[in-house]
Amino acid sequence: MALHTFRPRIVDALRDYNHSRALADLGAGVTVGVVALPLAMAFAIASGLPPQAGLWTAIIGGFLVALLGGTSVQIGGPAGAFIVIVYGIVERYGVANLLISTACAGVLLFALGLLRLGNLVRFVPVSIVIGFTNGIAVLIAVSQLKDFLGLQIAKMPGNFFSQLDVMAQHAGTVNPYALGLGATCLAGLFLWPRLFMHNAPVLRMPGGYSVRSFARIPAPVVALISLTAFSHFMGYPVETLGTRFGGIPQSLPVFALPEFSWDTVRLLVAPTITIALLGAIESLLCARVADQLNTDPHIRKHDPNQELMAQGLANFVVPFFGGMPVTGTIARTVTNLRAGATSPVAGIVHAATLAVIVLAAAPLALHIPLAVLAGILLHVAWNMGEWHEFARLRKFSHHYRLLLLGTFFLTVVFDLTVAVQVGLVLACVLFVRRMGELFRAESEVLPDAVVPTLAWRLHGVLFFGATSKIDPLVNAIEAAPQGVQVLLDASDLFALDTTGLEALEQILKAAERQAGRLVLQGAQAQPASLMERSGFNARLAAQSARTQPYAAANPQEYGPSSGETPG
């Protein structure tokens, strides 16, 4: 297998780069950098990590994904889909082992891209993707209720039902100030984009400004700044970044190697595969969304293998600075694209913008209420879920419903690893069943046949999942009189596997036991090749030769030659 050539998209994107594109990338990068600020902090906190872990993941990971990736506008960083996974790993294995798992997942992602396996991610059925995406959205929402309501809970468990039980036990500790801030934040996030609508009312302000003009500022940024200032000046007794984490360090992260041993790596196989699999699915799904939304001729379709290699390098490097898993982020990528980005330069500017904000304004983060960040994440969870798919389930097959709902409930009740593993196995089983149902053997009537003749036309794919449909043919041959002639028309048989070939062998042996012969006509390329390589054609020809003397001596029974060619 040829290895993929490492060639970042930025190399080609800068060939015809000009001043106008540079200005567009600069504006888009600054915009998405501002948007990423509250999201990066919120994702880290919800994952059980300090806010700076999310911020430096967005900065370092976003820079590496933009610089080395296979897309033009993708923004890398922490993602909502990882909240539940990271929180579970931290609860079970600790932060140090999360860093090791993330680095190992980076190696795995790089290997997938290097071996040109990026397209394999597309083999994950859309029903599974929708199922675990909606499941993760539910888990994110439940995990944020503690801070949204201001509940006095020292530490939240990682299990879904345990979280509900603990919150029910502490329902009497609701903080009305936190609830008010969180509800206002959530309502504002839903209302703010509506100010873009042409028919929305325009509120005039002194200086000629209007509310619709301010609507161009990202909603999470407006919510974060306005509600933080309001809460601080009103002196509301709510938990903030400062009271829980002591704020955000106003300095560069320290490079540190986590303790590493092969014994530890062996224990972390499951979380490593989970991080790698989810990272690959999320990043390539994000790249495909960007391709579909793109109308700029300068932006080429993504290279999935190069993107996986870049994601791998980012995930390998970020843990050394205390970061969390990196992947493509759909919301920020779409924001980047709609803000006018034309190349990976916008992603680099996004990382630089975020770094400047963190280093210059870190002390101001002390007063950010956690209820506001919870409101932002509840909005993310709502937008993340494809809830309309539940209403559309009645339009699809039972297989589709089983996969989607099964993956959804397994994600919520157990975890993403179990959900994806069971979902993929179930998808394979259902696919085999469906393909087996499509195969059929139709009986044909030959009115001119002189001798006892059984004829069938084979349709579809004869493989291990469909061989049970050959049993009636064998039974019919064994019940036929001696000297029966069996005709199989394989012109509509598109594919054959070794188990299917064994089924044909059973038909051949049944015909031999009845002193008859098997004639197989019209085999297509793949079945004919397998029958030739396995020696089936030779056995078929030998049987025909054995019955030929009897046919020549009794032409009144076999009638004129049909001109068939075995195999």
Side-chain angles (χ1 to χ4, degrees):
M1 176 188 292
L3 300 180
H4 183 73
T5 302
F6 189 86
R7 186 178 179 83
R9 178 56 54 84
I10 195 171
V11 174
D12 299 318
L14 294 179
R15 283 183 174 178
D16 57 348
Y17 206 62
N18 53 43
H19 180 69
S20 61
R21 290 183 63 194
L23 289 178
D25 287 337
L26 179 63
V30 171
T31 300
V32 77
V34 173
V35 171
L37 177 68
L39 295 178
M41 289 190 295
F43 292 152
I45 294 170
S47 301
L49 300 172
Q52 60 266 27
L55 290 170
W56 287 107
T57 297
I59 294 168
I60 300 172
F63 172 78
L64 292 175
V65 168
L67 181 68
L68 306 175
T71 67
S72 296
V73 297
Q74 178 140 290
I75 300 297
F82 274 107
I83 289 176
V84 180
I85 302 302
V86 173
Y87 189 86
I89 295 174
V90 170
E91 282 286 299
R92 183 173 181 182
Y93 300 99
V95 175
N97 287 329
L98 168 68
L99 302 180
I100 295 174
S101 292
T102 304
C104 292
V107 175
L108 185 56
L109 284 168
F110 187 88
L112 290 175
L114 184 64
L115 296 174
R116 297 178 177 269
L117 299 178
N119 287 323
L120 289 181
V121 175
R122 296 184 180 180
F123 292 164
V124 179
V126 66
S127 53
I128 293 180
V129 175
I130 294 172
F132 77 66
T133 300
N134 286 4
I136 290 173
V138 169
L139 292 175
I140 291 173
V142 170
S143 70
Q144 294 310 297
L145 292 178
K146 167 185 173 291
D147 290 332
F148 186 80
L149 300 172
L151 299 177
Q152 301 300 309
I153 301 174
K155 189 172 182 60
M156 286 284 285
N159 179 271
F160 173 74
F161 293 108
S162 298
Q163 290 178 342
L164 294 180
D165 181 57
V166 169
M167 286 189 290
Q169 293 177 16
H170 293 79
T173 64
V174 173
N175 184 330
Y177 298 99
L179 177 58
L181 288 172
T184 303
C185 174
L186 190 58
L189 292 174
F190 281 107
L191 176 64
W192 194 256
R194 298 181 182 278
L195 299 177
F196 279 114
M197 296 180 181
H198 295 296
N199 58 352
V202 180
L203 303 179
R204 299 295 177 183
M205 300 178 65
Y209 297 105
S210 66
V211 172
R212 190 182 294 169
S213 300
F214 286 115
R216 298 185 182 278
I217 305 173
V221 176
V222 175
L224 193 71
I225 294 175
S226 61
L227 292 177
T228 298
F230 180 77
S231 173
H232 177 65
F233 287 117
M234 294 297 294
Y236 284 165
V238 295
E239 194 172 16
T240 65
L241 285 182
T243 59
R244 181 179 293 185
F245 300 103
I248 300 173
Q250 195 175 9
S251 60
L252 295 172
V254 178
F255 179 88
L257 293 173
E259 274 190 43
F260 179 88
S261 71
W262 286 113
D263 291 335
T264 303
V265 171
R266 284 198 294 269
L267 294 175
L268 298 175
V269 170
T272 295
I273 293 176
T274 302
I275 293 173
L277 180 61
L278 182 58
I281 293 174
E282 280 289 307
S283 60
L284 297 186
L285 178 63
C286 177
R288 290 177 64 184
V289 170
D291 287 345
Q292 293 168 1
L293 295 176
N294 169 51
T295 58
D296 191 327
H298 293 104
I299 302 177
R300 291 166 44 204
K301 300 292 184 182
H302 75 282
D303 179 348
N305 297 309
Q306 181 63 40
E307 185 61 27
L308 287 185
M309 295 171 77
Q311 297 284 344
L313 290 171
N315 278 285
F316 181 76
V317 171
V318 163
F320 298 129
F321 296 93
M324 57 191 292
V326 179
T327 188
T329 57
I330 294 179
R332 277 160 279 171
T333 297
V334 172
T335 301
N336 188 40
L337 186 61
R338 290 177 175 170
T342 68
S343 77
V345 172
I348 295 175
V349 172
H350 137 268
T353 301
L354 200 50
V356 170
I357 294 175
V358 171
L359 294 176
L364 299 178
L366 284 170
H367 308 295
I368 296 176
L370 295 181
V372 173
L373 292 179
I376 292 174
L377 280 184
L378 285 173
H379 185 255
V380 168
W382 174 259
N383 289 331
M384 180 180 177
E386 298 186 50
W387 312 112
H388 61 279
E389 291 295 333
F390 289 129
R392 297 176 63 228
L393 281 177
R394 63 181 183 276
K395 300 179 180 179
F396 296 99
S397 67
H398 294 305
H399 290 181
Y400 183 90
R401 297 175 198 170
L402 180 60
L403 276 178
L404 193 154
L405 294 176
T407 307
F408 171 77
F409 286 114
L410 286 172
T411 301
V412 173
V413 175
F414 294 98
D415 58 48
L416 180 65
T417 306
V418 174
V420 173
Q421 288 173 350
V422 174
L424 288 175
V425 171
L426 191 58
C428 292
V429 171
L430 294 177
F431 176 77
V432 168
R433 179 184 174 185
R434 183 60 181 269
M435 291 300 295
E437 291 173 349
L438 294 177
F439 174 80
R440 66 186 189 278
E442 293 180 347
S443 178
E444 294 188 327
V445 177
L446 301 177
D448 298 332
V450 180
V451 299
T453 303
L454 298 174
W456 290 279
R457 179 184 290 272
L458 306 181
H459 298 266
V461 178
L462 182 54
F463 71 119
F464 65 89
T467 53
S468 61
K469 294 187 177 182
I470 296 297
D471 294 340
L473 278 64
V474 175
N475 295 335
I477 295 170
E478 291 178 341
Q482 292 288 307
V484 64
Q485 180 173 237
V486 181
L487 300 179
L488 293 182
D489 185 346
S491 56
D492 291 334
L493 184 66
F494 305 117
L496 179 72
D497 73 351
T498 53
T499 308
L501 182 65
E502 176 62 26
L504 294 182
E505 293 273 9
Q506 297 303 316
I507 293 178
L508 179 62
K509 292 176 181 178
E512 287 178 341
R513 287 194 294 270
Q514 297 303 105
R517 67 167 175 163
L518 170 65
V519 178
L520 194 147
Q521 300 173 331
Q524 297 195 26
Q526 189 274 332
S529 173
L530 179 58
M531 287 187 286
E532 180 66 31
R533 288 181 283 111
S534 65
F536 179 79
N537 280 352
R539 292 188 290 277
L540 195 62
Q543 185 205 60
S544 180
R546 287 195 299 271
T547 59
Q548 215 45 44
Y550 179 81
N554 300 273
Q556 73 282 1
E557 293 186 17
Y558 278 87
S561 172
S562 60
E564 69 275 356
T565 55

